[in-house]
């Protein structure tokens, strides 16, 4: 059936069925704006359109070239301050993955016989609203929850969080940013008073000494690594990682720490700096609180003690301390090796403590810098209404709720008075029957969740699972009772916020396939069908919401009232927050805390620390190896739903799953290079080819997260403060094995059948 025929039918049915036919019809009549129809009229058919990449948080700009109204190819934007003409393979191939045959093109609804059939939009959202209401009537409004993402626009995230919580009465909603950035967010909030990564990418070029902790930018943020390569200050490049990663191989000093011993090492460094007097007492006294207690606490972290805990040579520890001490501009960068740990928050805060005590913050080339992961992780942290209320506020703060209610012109009691359950607690709620409906948007937990083995069963207990994705073939989409087909990157408009707090523009350069709609439009349709549409009458377009975001940000640390509109964002080449009204040069690069003023009421940053705790599942006789997981290569993205669709990206990635193993551990087990092996934990097993490398370290195995088997093995432990999963430590054993059954993995990756 042709698209236009579908549209006609949609409109006819909406006349008959929709609760408020008037608005639903008008929503569907704005196809150009929302995902149906051609490229917006104001874009000339042969223009070049710049938009921010939709994969990682680096936030490169890509120039998409249109011919006859079709996006034919792209090249990295030469003048954009982030990437300056560079892109990694994922960016170069960003268009190629959009035409895959398994794009979701029409809503699907599972009937009573268990089969899913295509339906029109009014039927899909009408049925969703009816079933959500029925569950909520029977079990309370809290019995339906949502899981969002860091991969849709800020405008969409704000709309989703507001429709779900204020409109539909949901109390519990979280997102894949819990798997990723929750630790950094909590650490910053407690130390700085607000969730605020302080740096600008220029700091990568202006630093004398860059310390990467649990971070592999050569693979995960290749264009940030290019920025490091532009550094002309002959910097010390230090990598603290149990594995000799691609990044470690390019460093001056690799610190091959025992996994999860970073907290001991960082306290040990603090101890040394205090002992040697290489701290910035003036800065500490003027701008921080709690240093003396911290100094007393780290006293026992002597080099011999730390060497024992971390498995590092004392000389290595002293060398590390020395390199940090002797340079003027030291910057600390961390990613998932820190965040995904049972003690991630305290580890991140120990990094922040080192920066504060040495005065390495607020100056060029310094900082305690968490690199975010997904293209809009930062937008999600500030505006998704999950862990914080719109604008980085607290749900539990009455004044904050009143302020948001006033700005949005909604009754204050529509805003829940607490943040709601975290991702793992939502899944627990499904297990114990308190949560019966789930709406999953732009995330694929059936592959990416920790210890995912039982997850299909857990999701199977739901009375209603709605999945909103751009492909119908993902592991999670396959389980959905209702599948809502979404327009992808390049098929819709809005903004993202990158790692350096830069707001970047997303433009529509192609039409979405079939009836797929922009997430923004889907949220509006759901609100309408549920009956809370009028509450969002002022949220008609992404531009309307951008103006709302400005008002929500006014007077907050993330103030963006100085940005007139998205056009100004595009013309400036992205704009970093804060950008309050009256700022001299909104487009200029800036870092936070140049004035030493932090966001706590007294303006002082805090030293926050705690006793190191034991790894939740230590290797033992039965499971003697420690499993580390992470990114495998620059051309693979997460659960491969997107990057698996590009033949070029597939060629750049390993053809089969592989496990990194130390040659001695292999010899002990009779494993030769390239052999198939089975890796098993107490929870499950998977197969991969053995890739023998000393770089992984004795007693350890590394598996990329991109293979769906990896999270069958992971151990479900969480940081107690952030509830972020500790993906990077589980006890496993390994043995030679037969190859897996023919092509199970490839079938999953490239499947085109419904
Ligand atoms: N190509 C590609 N790029 C990506 C992504 C992708 O899927 N593919 N995903 C994006 C996202 S969402 C994220 S969050 C980022 C993640 O970016 P990174 O965090 O850089 O990537 P990871 O490989 O998950 O983890 C980094 C390193 O942590 C190390 N590590 C494990 N345990 C420990 C430990 O106890 N201590 C220390 N010091 N290190 C440890 C691992 O060996 C690994 O090399 O990447 C982003 N960029
Ligand atoms: N073992 C292990 N597991 C891990 C990690 C690890 O290091 N080790 N890392 C964790 C981290 S940091 C992260 S961030 C997570 C990522 O985990 P996920 O979020 O589950 O991974 P993605 O593959 O990025 O899933 C995004 C989904 O959104 C869909 N999508 C893309 N664009 C759009 C859009 O515009 N609209 C809609 N509606 N859908 C869209 C994609 O098709 C895909 O199905 O994985 C976590 N899992
Ligand atoms: S580095 Fe990240 S933002 Fe830049 S092109 Fe690659 S995936 Fe896109
Ligand atoms: Mo992430």
């Amino acid at each position: 059936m042709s698209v236009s025929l579908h549209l006609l039918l949609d409109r006819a049915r909406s006349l008959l069925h929709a609760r408020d036919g008037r608005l639903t019809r008008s929503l569907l009549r704005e196809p150009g704006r929302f995902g149906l129809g051609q490229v917006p009229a104001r874009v000339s058919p042969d223009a070049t359109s710049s938009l921010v990449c939709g994969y990682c948080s680096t936030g490169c700009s890509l120039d998409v070239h249109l011919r006859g109204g079709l996006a034919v190819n792209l090249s990295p934007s030469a003048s954009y301050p982030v990437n300056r003409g560079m892109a990694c393979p994922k960016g170069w191939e960003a268009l190629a993955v959009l035409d895959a045959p398994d794009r979701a093109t029409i809503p699907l609804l599972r009937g009573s016989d268990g089969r899913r059939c295509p339906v029109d939009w009014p039927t899909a959202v009408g049925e969703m609203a009816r079933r959500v209401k029925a569950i909520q009537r029977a079990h309370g409004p809290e019995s339906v929850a949502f899981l969002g993402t860091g991969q849709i626009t800020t405008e969409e995230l704000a709309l989703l969080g507001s429709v779900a919580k204020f409109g539909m009465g949901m109390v519990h909603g979280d997102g894949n940013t819990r798997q990723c950035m929750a630790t950094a967010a909590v650490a910053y909030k407690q130390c700085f008073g607000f969730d605020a990564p302080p740096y600008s990418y220029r700091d990568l070029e202006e630093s004398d000494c860059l310390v990467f902790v649990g971070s592999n930018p050569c693979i995960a943020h290749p264009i940030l690594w290019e920025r490091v390569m532009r550094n002309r200050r002959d910097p010390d490049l230090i990598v603290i990682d149990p594995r000799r990663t691609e990044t470690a191989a390019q460093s001056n000093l690799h610190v091959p720490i025992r996994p999860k011993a970073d907290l001991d090492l960082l306290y040990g460094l603090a101890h040394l700096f205090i002992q040697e007097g290489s701290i910035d007492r003036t800065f500490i006294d003027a701008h921080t609180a709690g240093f003396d207690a911290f100094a007393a606490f780290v006293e026992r972290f002597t080099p011999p003690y730390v060497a024992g805990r971390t498995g590092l040579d004392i000389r290595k520890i002293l060398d590390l301390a020395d390199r940090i001490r002797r340079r003027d501009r030291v910057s600390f960068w961390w990613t998932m090796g820190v965040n995904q740990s049972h003690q991630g928050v305290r580890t991140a805060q120990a990094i922040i403590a080192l920066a504060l005590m040495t005065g390495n913050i607020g100056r060029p080339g310094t900082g305690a810098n968490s690199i975010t992961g997904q293209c809009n992780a930062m937008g999600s942290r500030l505006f998704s209404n999950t862990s914080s209320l719109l604008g980085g506020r607290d749900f539990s703060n009455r004044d904050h709720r009143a302020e948001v209610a006033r700005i949005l012109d909604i009754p204050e009691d529509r805003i829940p008075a607490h943040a709601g359950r975290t991702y793992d607690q939502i899944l627990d709620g499904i297990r114990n029957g308190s949560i019966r409906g789930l709406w999953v948007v732009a995330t694929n937990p059936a592959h990416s969740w920790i210890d995912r083995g039982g997850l299909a069963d857990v999701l199977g207990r739901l009375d209603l699972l709605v999945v909103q994705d751009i492909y119908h073939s993902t592991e999670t989409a396959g389980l959905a009772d209702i599948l809502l087909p979404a327009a992808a990157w390049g098929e819709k408009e809005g903004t993202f916020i990158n790692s350096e707090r830069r707001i970047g523009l997303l433009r529509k350069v192609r039409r979405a396939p079939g009836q797929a709609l922009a997430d923004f439009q889907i949220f509006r349709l759901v609100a309408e069908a549920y009956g809370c549409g009028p509450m969002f009458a002022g949220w008609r377009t992404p531009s309307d919401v951008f103006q709302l975001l400005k008002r929500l940000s006014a007077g907050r640390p993330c103030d963006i009232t100085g940005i007139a509109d998205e056009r100004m964002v595009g013309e400036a080449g992205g704009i970093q927050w804060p950008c309050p009204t009256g700022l001299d040069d909104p487009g200029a690069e800036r870092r936070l805390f140049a004035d030493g003023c932090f966001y706590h009421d007294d303006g002082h940053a805090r030293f926050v620390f705690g006793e190191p705790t034991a790894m939740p599942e230590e290797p033992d006789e039965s499971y003697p190896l420690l499993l580390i997981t992470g990114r495998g290569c620059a051309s693979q993205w997460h659960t491969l739903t997107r990057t698996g669709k590009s033949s070029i990206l597939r060629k750049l990635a390993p053809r089969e799953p592989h496990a990194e193993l130390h040659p001695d551990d292999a010899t002990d087990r009779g494993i030769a290079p390239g052999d198939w092996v089975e890796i098993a934990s107490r929870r499950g097993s998977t197969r991969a080819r053995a890739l023998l490398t000393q770089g992984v370290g004795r007693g350890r195995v590394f598996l990329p997260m991109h293979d769906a088997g990896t999270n069958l093995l992971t151990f479900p432990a969480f940081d107690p403060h952030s509830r972020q999963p500790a993906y990077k430590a589980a006890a496993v054993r390994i043995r030679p094995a037969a190859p897996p059954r023919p092509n199970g993995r490839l079938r999953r990756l490239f499947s085109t059948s419904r």
Side-chain angles (χ1 to χ4, degrees):
M1 202 182 324
S2 76
V3 173
S4 45
L5 192 55
H6 268 304
L7 256 182
L8 272 176
L9 275 177
D10 270 352
R11 286 192 197 157
R13 286 198 179 104
S14 70
L15 266 172
L16 292 171
H17 298 303
R19 269 189 90 257
D20 184 343
R22 210 162 18 95
L23 189 49
T24 306
R25 279 197 314 282
S26 78
L27 293 180
L28 287 167
R29 226 187 284 126
E30 295 174 272
R33 194 194 294 280
F34 290 118
L36 293 168
Q38 296 297 326
V39 167
R42 65 178 172 280
V43 177
S44 123
D46 295 324
T48 288
S49 211
S50 306
L51 55 161
V52 169
C53 175
Y55 286 104
C56 90
S57 61
T58 303
C60 299
S61 174
L62 306 170
D63 291 345
V64 174
H65 310 291
L66 304 172
R67 292 288 171 274
L70 291 178
V72 288
N73 56 24
L74 62 77
S75 50
S77 312
S79 59
Y80 201 71
V82 168
N83 52 316
R84 300 175 188 166
M86 299 177 286
C88 84
K90 296 184 294 302
W92 278 104
E93 279 293 284
L95 288 171
V97 305
L98 301 177
D99 284 321
D102 58 344
R103 280 297 298 272
T105 54
I106 188 162
L108 299 179
L109 177 65
R110 195 181 298 283
S112 47
D113 59 355
R115 288 189 49 225
R116 295 198 302 191
C117 295
V119 291
D120 59 26
W121 274 106
T123 307
V125 294
E127 187 62 14
M128 174 178 170
R130 191 186 65 72
R131 291 169 71 172
V132 166
K133 284 185 165 177
I135 295 170
Q136 288 179 318
R137 255 196 314 273
H139 305 283
E142 303 204 11
S143 60
V144 180
F146 70 93
L147 288 176
T149 183
Q151 294 178 54
I152 59 177
T153 67
T154 312
E155 292 79 359
E156 290 171 338
L157 287 165
L159 182 55
L160 168 61
S162 301
V163 166
K165 290 206 169 174
F166 312 154
M168 301 168 76
M170 292 185 203
V171 178
H172 308 302
D174 205 359
N176 62 8
T177 36
R178 182 74 55 183
Q179 297 163 293
C180 182
M181 301 314 307
T183 288
V186 173
Y188 277 140
K189 189 146 191 229
Q190 292 180 351
C191 290
F192 294 163
F194 195 77
D195 174 16
Y199 59 97
S200 176
Y201 291 160
R202 187 178 289 164
D203 290 317
L204 293 162
E205 296 169 13
E206 296 189 343
S207 188
D208 298 333
C209 173
L210 298 94
V211 187
F212 290 91
V213 193
S215 183
N216 189 10
C218 284
I219 295 296
H221 300 89
I223 300 308
L224 291 190
W225 190 252
E226 295 291 339
R227 297 288 298 263
V228 176
M229 292 295 102
R230 286 169 183 245
N231 185 310
R232 294 286 168 265
R233 300 176 66 89
D234 188 22
D236 260 317
L237 298 178
I238 299 171
V239 173
I240 302 176
D241 195 309
R243 301 187 303 133
R244 188 172 165 79
T245 58
E246 297 75 359
T247 312
Q250 296 196 42
S251 68
N252 308 88
L253 181 69
H254 172 216
V255 182
I257 191 166
R258 178 178 295 154
K260 302 298 152 287
D262 302 74
L263 194 50
D264 294 278
L265 175 65
L266 297 163
Y267 288 158
L269 291 174
H271 165 91
L272 280 172
F273 296 152
I274 293 166
Q275 285 266 301
E276 297 157 351
S278 39
I279 57 174
D280 187 340
R281 195 76 229 195
T282 319
F283 184 89
I284 293 170
D285 291 343
H287 303 297
T288 73
F291 176 70
D292 291 342
F294 177 67
F297 175 78
V298 298
E299 217 166 301
R300 71 183 168 80
F301 290 83
T302 59
Y305 176 76
V306 172
R309 301 276 300 178
T310 57
L312 296 169
D313 196 291
I314 289 188
R315 276 167 310 185
K316 189 91 149 184
I317 299 170
L318 296 178
D319 183 19
L320 169 62
D322 206 41
R323 284 171 193 258
I324 294 174
R325 203 188 39 209
R326 66 172 188 239
R327 303 300 291 262
D328 176 44
R329 301 171 171 188
V330 182
S331 53
F332 299 88
W333 307 83
W334 84 83
T335 320
M336 291 309 120
V338 170
N339 284 359
Q340 293 172 341
S341 153
H342 68 284
Q343 51 185 359
V345 170
R346 292 294 175 256
T347 307
Q349 290 172 329
I351 296 175
I352 294 170
L354 287 183
L356 291 173
M357 70 194 285
T358 55
N360 274 304
I361 194 133
R363 294 185 294 117
T366 65
N369 305 332
S370 148
I371 307 174
T372 55
Q374 304 168 76
C375 48
N376 202 21
M378 202 64 230
S380 160
R381 280 153 76 166
L382 290 178
F383 290 108
S384 68
N385 254 351
T386 54
S387 49
S388 68
L389 174 62
L390 294 165
R393 293 177 173 84
D394 292 328
F395 281 97
S396 53
N397 181 320
R398 227 201 135 151
D399 296 340
H400 285 182
R401 294 201 300 275
E403 207 176 8
V404 168
R406 183 179 47 72
I407 296 168
L408 299 184
D409 193 19
I410 60 172
E412 201 182 311
D413 62 7
R414 300 298 307 179
I415 304 179
H418 57 94
R421 294 187 192 167
T422 54
Y423 201 135
D424 60 308
Q425 294 163 346
I426 289 174
L427 296 179
D428 284 345
I430 301 174
R431 282 188 197 96
N432 69 27
S434 60
I435 290 187
R436 309 228 169 194
L438 187 68
W439 182 11
V440 177
V441 179
T443 185
N444 186 13
H447 175 137
S448 63
W449 185 246
I450 195 162
D451 181 26
R452 69 161 186 88
L455 198 68
D457 282 345
V458 173
L459 297 179
R461 290 185 200 187
L462 288 162
D463 297 337
L464 174 66
L465 174 64
V466 180
V467 177
Q468 186 165 320
D469 206 287
I470 61 176
Y471 301 109
H472 62 70
S473 58
T474 77
E475 288 94 339
T476 312
L479 304 170
D481 300 308
I482 300 178
L483 179 76
L484 304 178
W489 172 91
E491 297 166 352
K492 58 182 182 178
E493 294 174 333
T495 58
F496 289 155
I497 309 178
N498 79 354
S499 278
E500 55 166 356
R501 311 179 314 284
R502 181 182 299 273
I503 298 164
L505 207 54
L506 197 63
R507 288 189 171 97
K508 180 173 165 153
V509 291
R510 44 172 276 143
R511 46 172 294 181
Q515 293 196 36
L517 291 175
D519 293 290
F520 190 89
Q521 173 73 332
I522 299 174
F523 302 144
R524 297 245 305 148
L525 286 173
V526 171
E528 200 49 46
Y530 189 88
C532 59
M535 195 186 261
F536 300 95
W539 303 56
R540 224 173 52 88
T541 65
S543 294
D544 291 345
V545 177
F546 188 83
Q547 294 303 323
L548 271 179
L549 297 178
K550 284 171 57 179
R551 294 177 55 205
L552 286 161
S553 77
R556 308 282 306 155
C558 56
D559 193 325
I560 50 166
T561 50
I563 306 178
D565 51 19
E566 300 95 314
R567 177 197 291 260
M568 180 170 163
V569 172
E571 283 168 0
I575 298 178
Q576 287 175 287
W577 68 256
C579 182
T581 313
L583 195 71
D584 273 351
D585 183 2
E589 275 199 62
R590 46 188 174 272
R591 74 183 58 77
L592 302 178
F593 312 134
D595 55 1
C597 228
F598 295 87
Y599 300 118
H600 284 296
D601 285 345
D602 61 5
H604 287 11
R606 303 282 188 273
F607 286 89
V608 187
F609 51 90
E611 208 54 59
T613 54
M615 202 189 291
E617 191 190 43
E618 296 268 10
D620 56 18
E621 254 178 34
S622 314
Y623 295 89
L625 300 171
L626 187 82
L627 172 68
I628 301 176
T629 69
R631 275 74 201 152
C633 74
S635 55
Q636 290 184 307
W637 180 258
H638 294 163
T639 72
L640 305 180
T641 67
R642 287 197 270 169
T643 50
K645 307 290 155 45
S646 148
S647 59
I648 291 179
L649 295 182
R650 284 203 305 272
K651 279 192 195 108
L652 293 173
R655 286 172 63 89
E656 291 161 325
H658 63 278
E660 288 182 18
L661 183 66
H662 194 281
D664 295 346
D665 289 326
T667 309
D668 290 351
R669 292 164 176 78
I671 296 167
D675 280 357
W676 281 99
V677 292
E678 182 201 65
I679 311 106
S681 75
R682 290 190 174 81
R683 296 153 295 283
S685 70
T686 189
R687 286 175 197 213
R689 282 201 190 268
L691 181 82
L692 304 194
T693 163
Q694 305 210 339
V696 69
R698 201 77 222 253
R700 298 167 203 155
V701 187
F702 175 79
L703 283 178
M705 65 160 297
H706 314 298
D707 187 55
T710 300
N711 277 321
L712 294 173
L713 314 184
T714 41
F715 181 76
F718 303 86
D719 179 283
H721 310 284
S722 68
R723 303 304 303 167
Q724 178 158 343
Y727 281 109
K728 288 175 164 44
V732 296
R733 64 182 176 215
I734 189 162
R735 64 177 176 88
R741 266 174 279 127
N743 264 349
R745 176 169 179 263
L746 289 183
R747 205 173 45 236
R748 263 201 320 280
L749 287 188
F750 310 125
S751 118
T752 55
S753 60
R754 268 208 181 120

